[in-house]
Amino acid sequence: EVQLVESGGGLIQPGGSLRLSCAASGITVITSYMAWVRQAPGKGLEWVSNIYNDGTTYYADSVKGRFTISRDNSKNMLYLQMNNLRAEDTAIYYCARIPWRKGPFDIWGRGTMVTVSS
Amino acid sequence: DIQMTQSPSSLSAFVGDRVTITCRASQDITYILGWYQQKPGEAPKRLIYGASILQSGVPPRFSGNGSGTEFTLTISGLQPEDFATYYCLQHTNYPWTFGQGTKVEIK
């Protein structure tokens, strides 16, 4: 069974940094396309970032230059390094799989909550 | 950026009703669109990809249609477990963009 489990969320002050993790089982992160999607409280879904199997990355303009998506192939983990956090980054962060040529986000984790507040 | 506009933003319907949600793209995205369902407190779940291809395991009362700039998600015979919020997503060009969501409530 394919499963994604996020961790690393919490309360952080504005300007701080946080690293989110996504543990994958049933799939191999290095050969998969993966993504982070977020949802602010009471709001809709927002695409954040993608990483492809060749290491190519893409970011939403709202996080470009502050967030970095990466993976650890030996641990089969996906990460999102978030720096210079702002109040508007407060959201549930989901990791999700992008299956090859079958449209994105067929598998989602349960999410991890990030709250940016002083 | 491609803007995705869903309508209506919310609707009320009875169990058994046929419900249609529309998603309009600000430019041609061919058929590169998916539909997602989200229930309160849960992660989203994919229903449709490629505008009209039903995700494995999703009941056939869900169907997707459209291409270019106008797309629909239809639920034929609304069931109690279908009351949720639905989102469309275009992934033709970066940044990928979701519609603002359509909340389907019980009448």
Side-chain angles (χ1 to χ4, degrees), chain A residues 2-99:
Chain A
V2 178
Q3 192 172 16
L4 301 172
V5 179
E6 303 92 336
S7 61
L11 175 63
I12 187 78
Q13 291 190 340
S17 297
L18 210 56
R19 188 179 80 159
L20 306 183
S21 301
C22 174
S25 56
I27 62 169
T28 303
V29 168
I30 189 174
T31 59
S32 302
Y33 294 7
M34 301 293 296
W36 289 96
V37 176
R38 69 183 180 182
Q39 186 170 36
K43 303 297 184 182
L45 300 171
E46 179 187 17
W47 169 77
V48 172
S49 180
N50 286 356
I51 186 166
Y52 288 174
N53 59 352
D54 65 358
T56 302
T57 58
Y58 296 89
Y59 297 94
D61 287 346
S62 58
V63 306
K64 199 172 295 183
R66 301 186 299 123
F67 290 13
T68 303
I69 190 171
S70 65
R71 60 196 177 197
D72 183 326
N73 303 325
S74 64
K75 296 180 179 178
N76 208 29
M77 298 280 288
L78 178 73
Y79 300 106
L80 187 68
Q81 177 66 42
M82 305 186 296
N83 297 331
N84 192 19
L85 281 160
R86 306 167 180 167
E88 54 265 35
D89 296 318
T90 294
I92 298 172
Y93 285 74
Y94 298 100
C95 67
R97 183 177 74 165
I98 306 169

Side-chain angles (χ1 to χ4, degrees), chain B:
Chain B
D1 298 1
I2 299 175
Q3 308 302 318
M4 304 300 294
T5 304
Q6 278 183 241
S7 60
S9 55
S10 65
L11 64 90
S12 296
F14 292 106
V15 171
D17 281 353
R18 177 185 174 96
V19 167
T20 297
I21 299 167
T22 298
C23 191
R24 289 186 173 86
S26 59
Q27 63 188 72
D28 189 341
I29 59 170
T30 63
Y31 57 89
I32 311 300
L33 179 120
W35 289 97
Y36 300 81
Q37 175 195 65
Q38 188 179 32
K39 298 178 182 179
E42 296 185 8
K45 170 187 171 183
R46 189 171 74 172
L47 301 174
I48 300 281
Y49 64 95
S52 62
I53 302 171
L54 194 67
Q55 171 72 28
S56 175
V58 173
R61 64 179 179 273
F62 291 94
S63 62
N65 209 341
S67 65
T69 61
E70 186 154 334
F71 303 84
T72 58
L73 173 70
T74 299
I75 310 171
S76 301
L78 200 62
Q79 296 300 300
E81 60 268 29
D82 301 336
F83 292 94
T85 301
Y86 295 84
Y87 297 92
C88 61
L89 166 72
Q90 72 79 21
H91 53 101
T92 297
N93 291 339
Y94 284 104
W96 291 2
T97 44
F98 287 93
Q100 79 276 20
T102 296
K103 187 173 183 179
V104 176
E105 298 175 304
I106 301 172
K107 184 178 280 186

